Amino acid sequence: MKKSYLCLGFCMLLAIVVSCTRGGNMRDGDYRKVHGMIWNTVYNVTYRGPEELEDSVLAVLQRVGGSLNVFDDNSLVSRVNRQVSTPVDANFVKVYEASARVNGLTDGAFDPTLSPLITAWGFGKGHRPTADTARIDSVMRYVGIGRTRMEHGCLVKDDARVQFNFSAIAKGFGCDAVGEMLERNGVRDWLVEIGGEIAARGNGPSGKGWRVSVDKPLLQRDTVAHESECVVAFTDMGMATSGNYRNFHTGKDGKSYGHTISARTGRPVLTDVLSATVLAPTAMEADALATSLMSMQSAEGRSLTSKLNLPVMLILSDSTVWMSDKFRQLILTADDPNAAL
């Protein structure tokens, strides 16, 4: 699930103070840390508990990848993309159903069937930008999750050319799946991060939820600098950040085209939103909604945020920041004794 073609969370700075132990005896108050690489990105798991669960974490992520990794020709989603009707597993069903819900909530802004468009614009497998107006208009005839349905445990497509790419929701789902495994093993305090998407439950070492620093992109002439926009404290939620500033193509006209493809037009989005951070009941939902907000103008994004009543922060292209009231309530101020990372 390579993150170089869709709006997949862009280096949210994860700064958590933990007392980590790998192996050996553990005290009840110790936090254990597991980390590694998966889907061409980094994962970090922090949890409080005496059991060594590193192998279980990796096993969960491998199962998720076996279902949803479009870059694996043998994965379930790759088989779905090659066939009209395919039996699917529980992981696929969960992500498919969540995608359909978010598609409805966002009036079609989020759609996991953009795979042909992603490839056409040069952000997919092979990275060869070949899009032109005639081709895009043709491809749009077989884009849309509404052209698919679940029947008797199979994913059925109206057109064999409909193809899925769940990369804008799969990392969040992976966070949730690892968290569910930890819960089954009796872990109550944990945080899972995959490539910037986060799921968290219980408390971190401070005893008051988990603290995360959200990156502030600073556009410069030839590069992007970074500093922390804010530190938030939350628990029992998922969190995701999506942005366009890192991954784009420069066309023959000299314009920069971001890597968020509009499901409505089939073309890269030109929007005043530079990044979107969302907190939701699950990381899967946060992941999909952050991507959706990146495909909208900020006015539409604020309207959606008001309807969903979720914590959301938008950083705009003029460097201004908009926050929902619920997001503002999560921010730790400089004089808060729990704000220090």
Side-chain angles (χ1 to χ4, degrees), residues 103-124:
N103 178 268
L105 288 172
T106 61
D107 193 24
F110 180 83
D111 198 302
T113 66
L114 300 183
S115 187
L117 290 169
I118 294 165
T119 300
W121 283 101
F123 292 109

mmCIF file of all heavy atoms in Angstrom, residues 103-124:
data_model
loop_
_atom_site.group_PDB
_atom_site.id
_atom_site.type_symbol
_atom_site.label_atom_id
_atom_site.label_comp_id
_atom_site.label_asym_id
_atom_site.label_seq_id
_atom_site.Cartn_x
_atom_site.Cartn_y
_atom_site.Cartn_z
ATOM 1 N N ASN A 103 -18.504 7.173 1.127
ATOM 2 C CA ASN A 103 -18.897 7.650 -0.197
ATOM 3 C C ASN A 103 -20.236 8.366 -0.126
ATOM 4 O O ASN A 103 -20.415 9.450 -0.713
ATOM 5 C CB ASN A 103 -18.959 6.461 -1.160
ATOM 6 C CG ASN A 103 -19.414 6.858 -2.556
ATOM 7 O OD1 ASN A 103 -20.600 6.805 -2.863
ATOM 8 N ND2 ASN A 103 -18.469 7.232 -3.398
ATOM 9 N N GLY A 104 -21.193 7.788 0.613
ATOM 10 C CA GLY A 104 -22.490 8.423 0.760
ATOM 11 C C GLY A 104 -22.433 9.697 1.586
ATOM 12 O O GLY A 104 -23.042 10.708 1.230
ATOM 13 N N LEU A 105 -21.667 9.672 2.679
ATOM 14 C CA LEU A 105 -21.548 10.844 3.547
ATOM 15 C C LEU A 105 -20.927 12.034 2.830
ATOM 16 O O LEU A 105 -21.250 13.187 3.131
ATOM 17 C CB LEU A 105 -20.700 10.501 4.781
ATOM 18 C CG LEU A 105 -21.329 9.598 5.842
ATOM 19 C CD1 LEU A 105 -20.281 9.208 6.872
ATOM 20 C CD2 LEU A 105 -22.502 10.302 6.517
ATOM 21 N N THR A 106 -20.024 11.759 1.890
ATOM 22 C CA THR A 106 -19.266 12.825 1.228
ATOM 23 C C THR A 106 -19.785 13.140 -0.166
ATOM 24 O O THR A 106 -19.110 13.815 -0.938
ATOM 25 C CB THR A 106 -17.780 12.439 1.138
ATOM 26 O OG1 THR A 106 -17.659 11.230 0.357
ATOM 27 C CG2 THR A 106 -17.187 12.220 2.520
ATOM 28 N N ASP A 107 -20.974 12.643 -0.474
ATOM 29 C CA ASP A 107 -21.573 12.888 -1.788
ATOM 30 C C ASP A 107 -20.631 12.453 -2.910
ATOM 31 O O ASP A 107 -20.454 13.147 -3.917
ATOM 32 C CB ASP A 107 -21.928 14.376 -1.942
ATOM 33 C CG ASP A 107 -22.834 14.633 -3.147
ATOM 34 O OD1 ASP A 107 -23.543 13.705 -3.571
ATOM 35 O OD2 ASP A 107 -22.809 15.766 -3.673
ATOM 36 N N GLY A 108 -19.998 11.295 -2.704
ATOM 37 C CA GLY A 108 -19.140 10.726 -3.734
ATOM 38 C C GLY A 108 -17.712 11.214 -3.753
ATOM 39 O O GLY A 108 -16.924 10.789 -4.603
ATOM 40 N N ALA A 109 -17.329 12.085 -2.806
ATOM 41 C CA ALA A 109 -15.952 12.594 -2.809
ATOM 42 C C ALA A 109 -14.940 11.501 -2.522
ATOM 43 O O ALA A 109 -13.812 11.523 -3.029
ATOM 44 C CB ALA A 109 -15.809 13.726 -1.798
ATOM 45 N N PHE A 110 -15.337 10.521 -1.687
ATOM 46 C CA PHE A 110 -14.458 9.388 -1.415
ATOM 47 C C PHE A 110 -14.946 8.195 -2.216
ATOM 48 O O PHE A 110 -16.121 7.829 -2.160
ATOM 49 C CB PHE A 110 -14.460 9.035 0.072
ATOM 50 C CG PHE A 110 -13.562 7.865 0.406
ATOM 51 C CD1 PHE A 110 -12.207 8.065 0.601
ATOM 52 C CD2 PHE A 110 -14.073 6.581 0.483
ATOM 53 C CE1 PHE A 110 -11.369 6.999 0.884
ATOM 54 C CE2 PHE A 110 -13.246 5.504 0.768
ATOM 55 C CZ PHE A 110 -11.889 5.712 0.969
ATOM 56 N N ASP A 111 -14.031 7.584 -2.968
ATOM 57 C CA ASP A 111 -14.404 6.419 -3.771
ATOM 58 C C ASP A 111 -13.182 5.542 -3.970
ATOM 59 O O ASP A 111 -12.149 6.017 -4.454
ATOM 60 C CB ASP A 111 -14.962 6.844 -5.125
ATOM 61 C CG ASP A 111 -15.753 5.737 -5.789
ATOM 62 O OD1 ASP A 111 -15.178 4.654 -6.008
ATOM 63 O OD2 ASP A 111 -16.944 5.945 -6.091
ATOM 64 N N PRO A 112 -13.245 4.262 -3.578
ATOM 65 C CA PRO A 112 -12.082 3.390 -3.689
ATOM 66 C C PRO A 112 -11.901 2.764 -5.066
ATOM 67 O O PRO A 112 -11.013 1.944 -5.250
ATOM 68 C CB PRO A 112 -12.376 2.306 -2.646
ATOM 69 C CG PRO A 112 -13.864 2.179 -2.680
ATOM 70 C CD PRO A 112 -14.381 3.582 -2.915
ATOM 71 N N THR A 113 -12.739 3.138 -6.044
ATOM 72 C CA THR A 113 -12.612 2.546 -7.378
ATOM 73 C C THR A 113 -11.848 3.462 -8.336
ATOM 74 O O THR A 113 -12.043 3.412 -9.545
ATOM 75 C CB THR A 113 -13.996 2.220 -7.975
ATOM 76 O OG1 THR A 113 -14.725 3.432 -8.209
ATOM 77 C CG2 THR A 113 -14.775 1.311 -7.050
ATOM 78 N N LEU A 114 -10.968 4.273 -7.797
ATOM 79 C CA LEU A 114 -10.203 5.218 -8.619
ATOM 80 C C LEU A 114 -8.946 4.611 -9.220
ATOM 81 O O LEU A 114 -8.178 5.319 -9.864
ATOM 82 C CB LEU A 114 -9.810 6.444 -7.771
ATOM 83 C CG LEU A 114 -10.942 7.273 -7.166
ATOM 84 C CD1 LEU A 114 -10.364 8.468 -6.424
ATOM 85 C CD2 LEU A 114 -11.912 7.731 -8.232
ATOM 86 N N SER A 115 -8.724 3.338 -9.028
ATOM 87 C CA SER A 115 -7.464 2.735 -9.454
ATOM 88 C C SER A 115 -7.089 3.042 -10.903
ATOM 89 O O SER A 115 -5.947 3.414 -11.185
ATOM 90 C CB SER A 115 -7.504 1.219 -9.218
ATOM 91 O OG SER A 115 -6.250 0.639 -9.481
ATOM 92 N N PRO A 116 -8.013 2.929 -11.881
ATOM 93 C CA PRO A 116 -7.630 3.262 -13.256
ATOM 94 C C PRO A 116 -7.226 4.719 -13.437
ATOM 95 O O PRO A 116 -6.331 5.036 -14.229
ATOM 96 C CB PRO A 116 -8.893 2.929 -14.064
ATOM 97 C CG PRO A 116 -9.668 1.989 -13.213
ATOM 98 C CD PRO A 116 -9.392 2.413 -11.802
ATOM 99 N N LEU A 117 -7.866 5.617 -12.687
ATOM 100 C CA LEU A 117 -7.510 7.033 -12.762
ATOM 101 C C LEU A 117 -6.154 7.304 -12.126
ATOM 102 O O LEU A 117 -5.357 8.106 -12.629
ATOM 103 C CB LEU A 117 -8.581 7.876 -12.066
ATOM 104 C CG LEU A 117 -9.932 7.946 -12.771
ATOM 105 C CD1 LEU A 117 -10.964 8.583 -11.850
ATOM 106 C CD2 LEU A 117 -9.824 8.722 -14.074
ATOM 107 N N ILE A 118 -5.889 6.627 -11.005
ATOM 108 C CA ILE A 118 -4.596 6.774 -10.341
ATOM 109 C C ILE A 118 -3.472 6.384 -11.295
ATOM 110 O O ILE A 118 -2.457 7.070 -11.417
ATOM 111 C CB ILE A 118 -4.550 5.923 -9.062
ATOM 112 C CG1 ILE A 118 -5.554 6.452 -8.029
ATOM 113 C CG2 ILE A 118 -3.147 5.907 -8.460
ATOM 114 C CD1 ILE A 118 -5.836 5.490 -6.907
ATOM 115 N N THR A 119 -3.665 5.281 -11.991
ATOM 116 C CA THR A 119 -2.668 4.830 -12.967
ATOM 117 C C THR A 119 -2.567 5.808 -14.126
ATOM 118 O O THR A 119 -1.464 6.153 -14.576
ATOM 119 C CB THR A 119 -3.035 3.425 -13.477
ATOM 120 O OG1 THR A 119 -3.055 2.519 -12.377
ATOM 121 C CG2 THR A 119 -2.027 2.945 -14.511
ATOM 122 N N ALA A 120 -3.702 6.272 -14.613
ATOM 123 C CA ALA A 120 -3.705 7.175 -15.760
ATOM 124 C C ALA A 120 -2.963 8.476 -15.476
ATOM 125 O O ALA A 120 -2.303 9.033 -16.360
ATOM 126 C CB ALA A 120 -5.143 7.479 -16.175
ATOM 127 N N TRP A 121 -3.045 8.936 -14.248
ATOM 128 C CA TRP A 121 -2.373 10.169 -13.882
ATOM 129 C C TRP A 121 -0.933 9.945 -13.405
ATOM 130 O O TRP A 121 -0.265 10.880 -12.973
ATOM 131 C CB TRP A 121 -3.165 10.923 -12.809
ATOM 132 C CG TRP A 121 -4.350 11.627 -13.387
ATOM 133 C CD1 TRP A 121 -5.653 11.218 -13.354
ATOM 134 C CD2 TRP A 121 -4.351 12.857 -14.111
ATOM 135 N NE1 TRP A 121 -6.458 12.111 -14.000
ATOM 136 C CE2 TRP A 121 -5.692 13.130 -14.481
ATOM 137 C CE3 TRP A 121 -3.356 13.756 -14.493
ATOM 138 C CZ2 TRP A 121 -6.054 14.259 -15.211
ATOM 139 C CZ3 TRP A 121 -3.719 14.883 -15.217
ATOM 140 C CH2 TRP A 121 -5.040 15.127 -15.562
ATOM 141 N N GLY A 122 -0.465 8.715 -13.451
ATOM 142 C CA GLY A 122 0.936 8.453 -13.141
ATOM 143 C C GLY A 122 1.243 8.270 -11.682
ATOM 144 O O GLY A 122 2.406 8.310 -11.290
ATOM 145 N N PHE A 123 0.211 8.045 -10.820
ATOM 146 C CA PHE A 123 0.461 7.837 -9.403
ATOM 147 C C PHE A 123 0.329 6.378 -9.004
ATOM 148 O O PHE A 123 0.496 6.042 -7.852
ATOM 149 C CB PHE A 123 -0.512 8.668 -8.562
ATOM 150 C CG PHE A 123 -0.286 10.150 -8.677
ATOM 151 C CD1 PHE A 123 -1.193 10.942 -9.353
ATOM 152 C CD2 PHE A 123 0.832 10.741 -8.130
ATOM 153 C CE1 PHE A 123 -0.999 12.314 -9.467
ATOM 154 C CE2 PHE A 123 1.039 12.103 -8.228
ATOM 155 C CZ PHE A 123 0.117 12.892 -8.905
ATOM 156 N N GLY A 124 0.021 5.516 -9.931
ATOM 157 C CA GLY A 124 -0.175 4.118 -9.609
ATOM 158 C C GLY A 124 1.053 3.287 -9.901
ATOM 159 O O GLY A 124 2.175 3.777 -10.016
#
